[in-house]
């Protein structure tokens, strides 16, 4: 198995929904059970990546021949959907799509895909700050988890509940860092932490700070984006009765990481940009994907 | 033996039933619905200060009374002024109480939506 690690940079608020919520948000985002951290399940990434790959093939060969994208979808997973000459024309593409994403049992050679898509975990979370508009926050647990899953050795960071380790001290005001309404003592981070941030190759590395696990947990649970939506009654021009709800989003500028595992005999890369999660028609869920070499 | 969830749910139920058929029932319901998101978006202290400023509204007055009762009966803290008490806490404790009061507020909202009369209103 080969491993590829990707960073997912969230360009517009991302809603990977967990269904109907019963707390203060009607439509919450998915969170890990044991940490409460937002995450994107592998199935969501695989589904979006598969749709992207299928659409590329469809645009190149089938868009003008009256074949629907759903026909190609069915052909890839079950076969026997396209006309023989059409299927023959894109034989290589079909074979490749099937080997990467797998097929349903109906197909004679029904098989699992050769690429395994992991869940995407949160790595950097943007939080409003007095200096630099926002800062990107991480914590020792998140860093050690990243290190563990990519087989790196990053010594554990030591940070107290009232401290913030800064990649660059230029974000501190009077030796303090303010995140939302909380004030932390700014400390220069050690070389290990800086190396880790450099490795990520993000454009905003001077904004990265490391806070304690408890504080991070607090931030990712209470400071996601919550948008209120209404539906307007077209006749009255006012809010339709009962049509007011709130929806939660992972804010733009968040960074997640995901591991893909590939069989030795397959080559596959995620697209550089794609859409994830819901509300795409209102501009939500555009993400940038970039491989990091660890 | 009861779980924390059962304890808070039954306590919230008792609070809400006190309001049933009172003149300010509808106000209480509409405030209870907003309470959890107010705490999340504005913080516990700001929310308590806001509730304090609404003393001429029987619905808010009752909600404040219920939060104080929660502090007394569930947390064993006799609180005279919510704002004074919460602003005097250490940051860690303040976060903990925010969690706890938010949890209670969510139960108030749930029970109130089920038990109290609803009046259609533009939000």
């Amino acid at each position: 198995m080969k491993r590829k690690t990707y960073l997912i940079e969230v360009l517009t608020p991302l809603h990977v929904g967990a269904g109907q919520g019963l707390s203060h948000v009607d439509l919450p985002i998915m969170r890990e059970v044991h940490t409460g951290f937002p995450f994107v399940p592998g199935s969501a990434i695989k589904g979006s990546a598969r749709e992207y790959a299928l659409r590329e093939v469809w645009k190149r060969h089938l868009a003008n021949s009256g074949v629907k994208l759903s026909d190609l979808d069915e052909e890839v997973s079950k076969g026997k959907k396209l006309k023989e000459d059409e299927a023959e024309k894109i034989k290589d593409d079909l074979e490749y799509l099937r080997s990467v994403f797998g097929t349903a049992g109906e197909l004679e050679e029904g098989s699992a895909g050769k690429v395994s898509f992991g869940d995407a975990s949160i790595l950097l979370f943007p939080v409003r700050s007095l200096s630099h508009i926002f800062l990107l926050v991480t914590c020792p647990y998140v860093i050690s988890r990243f290190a563990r899953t990519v087989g790196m050795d990053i010594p554990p960071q030591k940070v107290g509940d009232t401290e913030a380790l800064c990649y660059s001290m230029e974000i501190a005001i009077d030796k303090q860092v303010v995140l939302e309404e909380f004030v932390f003592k700014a400390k220069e981070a050690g070389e290990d932490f800086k190396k880790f941030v450099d490795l990520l190759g993000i454009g905003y590395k001077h904004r990265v700070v490391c806070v304690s696990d408890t504080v991070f947990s607090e931030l990712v649970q209470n400071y996601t984006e919550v948008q209120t939506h209404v539906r307007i009654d077209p006749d009255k021009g006012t809010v339709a009765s009962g049509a007011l709800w709130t929806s939660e989003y992972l804010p733009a500028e968040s960074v997640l990481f995901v591991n893909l595992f590939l069989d030795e005999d397959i080559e596959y890369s995620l697209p550089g940009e794609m859409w994830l999660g819901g509300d795409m028609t209102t501009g939500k869920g555009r993400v940038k994907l970039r491989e990091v070499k660890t | 033996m009861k779980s924390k969830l059962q304890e808070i749910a039954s306590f919230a139920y008792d609070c809400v039933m006190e309001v049933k058929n009172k003149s300010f029932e509808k106000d209480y319901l509409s405030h209870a619905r907003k309470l959890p998101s107010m705490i999340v978006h504005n913080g516990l202290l700001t929310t308590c200060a806001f509730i304090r400023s609404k003393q001429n509204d029987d619905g808010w007055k009752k909600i404040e009374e219920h939060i104080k009762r929660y502090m007394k009966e569930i947390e064993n803290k006799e609180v005279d002024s919510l704002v004074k008490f919460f602003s005097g806490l250490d940051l860690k404790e303040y976060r903990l109480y925010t969690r706890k009061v938010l949890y209670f507020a969510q139960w108030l909202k749930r029970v109130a939506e089920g038990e109290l009369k609803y009046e259609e209103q533009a939000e």
Side-chain angles (χ1 to χ4, degrees):
Chain A
M1 284 282 217
K2 297 177 287 192
R3 177 180 47 80
K4 277 185 162 188
T5 301
Y6 281 88
L7 286 192
I8 301 179
E9 296 178 28
V10 178
L11 298 176
T12 61
L14 172 65
H15 177 83
V16 178
Q20 179 72 45
L22 293 173
S23 63
H24 66 280
V25 182
D26 297 317
L27 297 169
I29 54 176
M30 287 203 84
R31 291 174 177 276
E32 294 169 351
V33 171
H34 66 303
T35 57
F37 293 180
F39 82 113
V40 178
S43 55
I45 296 167
K46 183 176 178 180
S48 293
R50 184 175 179 276
E51 195 253 6
Y52 183 95
L54 257 63
R55 194 178 284 277
E56 290 294 296
V57 171
W58 179 77
K59 275 196 303 210
R60 260 201 321 268
H61 302 290
L62 302 167
N64 302 323
S65 59
V67 176
K68 295 204 293 284
L69 183 59
S70 59
D71 297 335
L72 174 62
D73 178 13
E74 201 172 321
E75 175 68 33
V76 169
S77 60
K78 298 177 186 168
K80 302 195 182 78
K81 181 74 190 177
L82 298 183
K83 295 193 191 90
E84 230 165 273
D85 59 315
E86 280 167 344
E88 186 57 35
K89 196 170 69 180
I90 56 167
K91 196 166 85 137
D92 293 352
D93 286 316
L94 281 177
E95 204 173 300
Y96 177 71
L97 289 171
R98 283 171 183 158
S99 65
V100 170
F101 297 105
T103 58
E106 283 92 336
L107 205 69
E108 264 167 57
E109 62 269 26
S111 63
K114 292 185 171 188
V115 179
S116 130
F117 295 76
D119 293 343
S121 317
I122 190 85
L123 187 62
L124 302 170
F125 185 76
V127 179
R128 198 162 43 132
S129 169
L130 272 183
S131 69
H132 292 67
I133 311 175
F134 70 93
L135 297 178
L136 291 166
V137 179
T138 184
C139 74
Y141 169 71
V142 165
I143 297 170
S144 72
R145 187 149 90 166
F146 176 82
R148 215 171 50 217
T149 62
V150 303
M152 272 173 69
D153 185 24
I154 307 173
Q157 303 299 309
K158 287 192 179 60
V159 53
D161 276 342
T162 55
E163 297 171 337
L165 306 179
C166 311
Y167 177 89
S168 150
M169 285 304 274
E170 73 181 67
I171 58 161
I173 302 174
D174 192 19
K175 294 201 177 116
Q176 290 180 327
V177 169
V178 182
L179 297 168
E180 289 286 347
E181 68 264 40
F182 305 116
V183 183
F184 301 90
K185 237 191 305 270
K187 279 181 156 181
E188 177 124 19
E191 283 312 306
D192 301 321
F193 181 74
K194 290 187 178 180
K195 254 194 228 149
F196 156 74
V197 176
D198 288 339
L199 170 97
L200 302 177
I202 50 170
Y204 291 139
K205 61 185 182 185
H206 64 283
R207 294 179 194 262
V208 179
V209 297
C210 178
V211 295
S212 75
D213 292 349
T214 316
V215 172
F216 183 81
S217 170
E218 189 83 20
L219 291 168
V220 296
Q221 294 193 64
N222 295 331
Y223 295 96
T224 48
E225 191 163 326
V226 176
Q227 293 186 9
T228 304
H229 298 272
V230 290
R231 186 163 44 80
I232 302 291
D233 181 322
D235 294 327
K236 295 185 191 154
T238 55
V239 178
S241 159
L244 175 134
W245 70 99
T246 51
S247 189
E248 184 181 24
Y249 298 88
L250 188 63
E253 309 293 358
S254 301
V255 180
L256 304 108
F257 73 95
V258 62
N259 287 313
L260 266 55
F261 291 92
L262 298 80
D263 276 5
E264 295 300 339
D265 61 343
I266 192 105
E267 286 301 325
Y268 174 74
S269 296
L270 283 168
E273 208 177 271
M274 65 177 187
W275 299 83
L276 271 179
D279 300 341
M280 182 177 133
T281 56
T282 47
K284 304 290 189 292
R286 230 178 103 213
V287 299
K288 227 166 89 178
L289 302 131
R290 188 164 46 81
E291 193 180 349
V292 276
K293 291 284 180 225
T294 53
Chain B
M1 170 81 180
K2 270 189 176 182
S3 73
K4 199 78 194 160
L5 182 148
Q6 288 170 299
E7 185 188 16
I8 307 286
S10 98
F11 180 75
Y13 184 82
D14 294 344
C15 289
V16 169
M17 291 318 266
E18 223 182 78
V19 179
K20 214 173 165 88
N21 300 328
K22 292 265 190 339
S23 59
F24 51 84
E25 178 179 356
K26 291 187 177 86
D27 289 337
Y28 184 95
L29 168 61
S30 106
H31 302 335
R33 298 179 105 157
K34 292 186 200 132
L35 190 61
S37 53
M38 277 174 91
I39 294 172
V40 171
H41 295 307
N42 309 300
L44 181 61
L45 257 175
T46 320
T47 306
C48 289
F50 169 82
I51 296 174
R52 192 75 205 142
S53 73
K54 295 282 177 193
Q55 288 302 296
N56 53 358
D57 176 324
D58 287 339
W60 279 121
K61 225 169 149 163
K62 201 64 181 170
I63 289 210
E64 181 179 58
E65 191 188 304
H66 284 160
I67 298 175
K68 283 183 181 170
R69 242 181 74 191
Y70 166 85
M71 293 301 293
K72 186 171 181 249
E73 292 179 32
I74 307 282
E75 303 294 344
N76 300 320
K77 293 263 190 280
E78 186 80 58
V79 177
D80 195 27
S81 152
L82 291 171
V83 173
K84 189 164 167 30
F85 177 80
F86 291 133
S87 58
L89 293 174
D90 175 77
L91 185 57
K92 252 189 183 157
E93 283 182 319
Y94 174 63
R95 286 202 199 119
L96 181 70
Y97 275 115
T98 300
R99 275 272 164 91
K100 287 177 160 179
V101 175
L102 173 64
Y103 191 68
F104 170 59
Q106 286 171 346
W107 270 107
L108 274 187
K109 173 185 173 209
R110 272 174 213 149
V111 180
E113 283 181 332
E115 297 295 340
L116 302 183
K117 278 204 201 72
Y118 171 72
E119 184 183 34
E120 282 207 0
Q121 51 194 352
E123 289 278 353

